[in-house]
């Protein structure tokens, strides 16, 4: 029975293909709000960051924060958009308790950026995802319903916090592509330092528009919007769920209606929230308190000059200049702070591949164990770039073996000591002088006569065993290559 069900699902999903577009809300890293001087600091006491403007008192005048416009232009240039020379801020009218003005200031016709694209890569294949637009808007406040049983509370700290809404064309064909697009976009915004990309705190969140159509057709199916997805896992699971639900509904002869749905994380399903309103329901009109926004050539040129190297360019540079494999380059450039950490280490010791191994291997493992991998700032990391580079240098200079380096690394996690200091304090320096290695080899040969006979009878495999015994006798400190040479000489009678 269970098997029949699985087969039915597979059949259904093969007959229909998904079409996905995403709307991302990225909170901008400005110090003050979009239309007033209030702080944007997260986690403060409710309503601590408010004033008459962001509370929507009558008669107040909004003043557009220049930094918000600059950040929007930055994001637009980095995603190959056209920057609109004269754009308009509009009122989007709807009533909700967390929006006391009764309207949100946003952009409708004439957004500040239009017609860009983001190139993504999935399993080695590249894909071009078009952007419809990027516009600026203010966030709304937050309703709190469960603090007191008989009342609801409103916190307006978030009201007026600047957001970019980044809208893609329906160019994605799977949940995996949507995930890759989101990761790429997040990295770009983080590199630009316009958004911290923190999904947990809601500063990077997304709505997904999902429809399905019979394979081989071109007309779009009924579009269903899933609101407020706030983790990569939620994006993935919610889109997968919707594709299956819609395909099965059509397969069973049912009809889909355009609506907005919510993702229920605990039940792992989407449920209907409301039928989708269309633009005319919001009665958009230009905000009479704000003049049209004019962006001149000089401003665009100045912002363009301030753009630093973006993730895709940095990745290809790591591959071409440093000879790193695509896999390493991808991981190292996935976040700007990681790439910076790597390059800082590289300045001290230039062994790119070994440094990369330590970062994407050992360091990432530790960050994951300590739940630091989603920390946005590398200052919280347990090992500095300088110390990591010095560790690799000690290996390359033959001062310690790769194996001992693992021990030193563990000790580095516990203190701020330089690896050289740890090595000397713990007496871990590699033994390279032939005399003491020779003594150890002779002792091992004397106490393993059986293996020595086997080797001399032509069994090469015991050689590795004997090397291991010497390393053990020297507590891993003997220079492995020297051990190999001396051991072979002794066994073949040259020593
Ligand atoms: Zn304010």
């Amino acid at each position: 029975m269970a098997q029949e069900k699985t087969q039915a699902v597979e059949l259904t999903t093969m007959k229909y293909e998904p079409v996905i577009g995403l709307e991302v809300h990225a909170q901008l890293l400005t110090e003050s709000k979009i239309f007033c001087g209030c702080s944007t600091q997260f986690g403060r006491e409710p309503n601590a960051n408010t004033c008459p403007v962001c509370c929507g008192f009558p008669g107040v005048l909004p003043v557009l924060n220049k930094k918000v416009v600059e950040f929007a232009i930055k994001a637009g240039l980095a995603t190959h958009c056209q920057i609109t020379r004269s754009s308009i801020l509009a009122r989007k009218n709807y009533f909700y308790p967390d929006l006391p003005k009764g309207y949100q200031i946003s952009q409708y016709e004439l957004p500040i950026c239009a017609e860009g694209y983001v190139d993504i890569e999935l399993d080695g294949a590249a894909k071009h995802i078009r952007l419809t637009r990027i516009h600026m808007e203010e966030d709304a406040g937050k309703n709190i319903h469960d603090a007191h049983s008989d009342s609801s509370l409103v916190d307006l700290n978030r009201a007026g916090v600047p957001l970019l809404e980044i809208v893609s064309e329906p160019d994605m064909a799977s949940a995996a592509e949507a995930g890759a697009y989101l990761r790429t976009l997040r990295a770009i915004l983080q590199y630009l330092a316009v958004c911290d990309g923190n999904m947990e705190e809601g500063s990077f969140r997304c709505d997904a528009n999902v429809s399905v159509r019979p394979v081989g057709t071109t007309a779009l199916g009924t579009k269903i919007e899933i609101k407020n997805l706030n983790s990569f896992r939620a994006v993935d699971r919610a889109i997968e769920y919707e594709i299956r639900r819609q395909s099965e509904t059509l397969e069973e002869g049912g009809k889909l209606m355009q609506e907005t749905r919510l993702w229920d994380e605990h039940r792992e399903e989407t449920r209907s929230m409301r039928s989708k309103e269309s633009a005319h329901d919001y009665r958009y009109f230009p905000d009479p308190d704000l003049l049209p926004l004019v962006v001149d050539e000089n401003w665009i040129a100045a912002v363009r000059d301030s753009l630093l190297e973006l993730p895709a360019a940095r990745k290809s540079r790591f591959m071409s200049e440093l000879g790193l494999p695509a896999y390493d380059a991808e991981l190292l450039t996935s976040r700007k702070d990681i790439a910076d950490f790597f390059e800082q280490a590289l300045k001290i010791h230039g062994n790119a591949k070994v440094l990369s191994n330590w970062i994407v291997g050992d360091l990432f493992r530790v960050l994951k164990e300590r739940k630091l991998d989603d920390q946005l700032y590398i200052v919280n990391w347990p090992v500095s770039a300088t110390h990591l580079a010095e560790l690799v240098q000690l290996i390359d200079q033959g001062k310690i073996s790769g194996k001992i380096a693992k021990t030193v690394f563990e000790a580095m996690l516990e203190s701020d000591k330089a690896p050289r200091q740890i090595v000397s304090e713990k007496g871990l320096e590699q033994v390279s002088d032939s005399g003491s290695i020779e003594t150890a080899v002779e002792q091992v040969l004397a106490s393993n006569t059986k293996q020595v006979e086997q080797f001399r009878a032509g069994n090469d495999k015991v050689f590795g065993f004997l090397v291991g015994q010497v390393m053990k006798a020297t507590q891993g400190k003997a220079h492995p290559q020297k051990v190999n040479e001396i051991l072979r000489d002794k066994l073949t009678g040259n020593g």
Side-chain angles (χ1 to χ4, degrees), residues 72-217:
I73 299 173
K74 255 191 185 175
L77 291 175
T79 52
H80 317 277
C81 286
Q82 307 290 331
I83 310 299
T84 313
R85 297 301 189 265
S86 179
S87 65
I88 286 170
L89 289 141
R91 289 188 180 181
K92 179 182 182 179
N93 296 279
Y94 65 97
F95 178 75
Y96 206 59
D98 63 7
L99 189 72
K101 289 187 292 206
Y103 60 86
Q104 178 191 24
I105 306 179
S106 180
Q107 294 193 298
Y108 181 51
E109 284 163 297
L110 299 177
I112 184 151
C113 314
E115 294 173 8
Y117 64 86
V118 168
D119 285 324
I120 63 165
E121 218 181 280
L122 192 66
D123 302 326
K127 195 166 176 182
H128 201 62
I129 309 294
R130 291 168 300 156
L131 297 186
T132 317
R133 58 190 278 149
I134 300 178
H135 71 245
M136 305 176 288
E137 63 183 32
E138 58 179 346
D139 207 347
K142 194 171 98 186
N143 296 323
I144 302 159
H145 296 299
D146 38 12
H148 300 279
S149 55
D150 58 345
S151 55
S152 283
L153 306 175
V154 182
D155 175 6
L156 295 176
N157 278 352
R158 236 173 51 192
V161 161
L163 303 177
L164 286 187
E165 181 170 326
I166 303 165
V167 183
S168 84
E169 292 285 314
D171 284 351
M172 287 155 273
S174 67
E177 281 185 13
Y181 165 76
L182 275 182
R183 285 191 172 82
T184 307
L185 187 62
R186 186 171 79 147
I188 292 171
L189 297 179
Q190 285 177 332
Y191 267 69
L192 297 171
V194 302
C195 171
D196 66 17
N198 191 333
M199 288 188 100
E200 233 161 65
E201 289 181 3
S203 51
F204 187 81
R205 51 192 199 261
C206 113
D207 306 337
N209 290 309
V210 181
S211 65
V212 299
R213 64 185 171 202
V215 169
T217 59

Side-chain angles (χ1 to χ4, degrees), residues 33 35-39 49-55 159:
K33 293 185 178 181
F35 299 117
C36 64
C38 289
S39 164
N49 297 343
T50 53
C51 74
V53 175
C54 52
C55 288

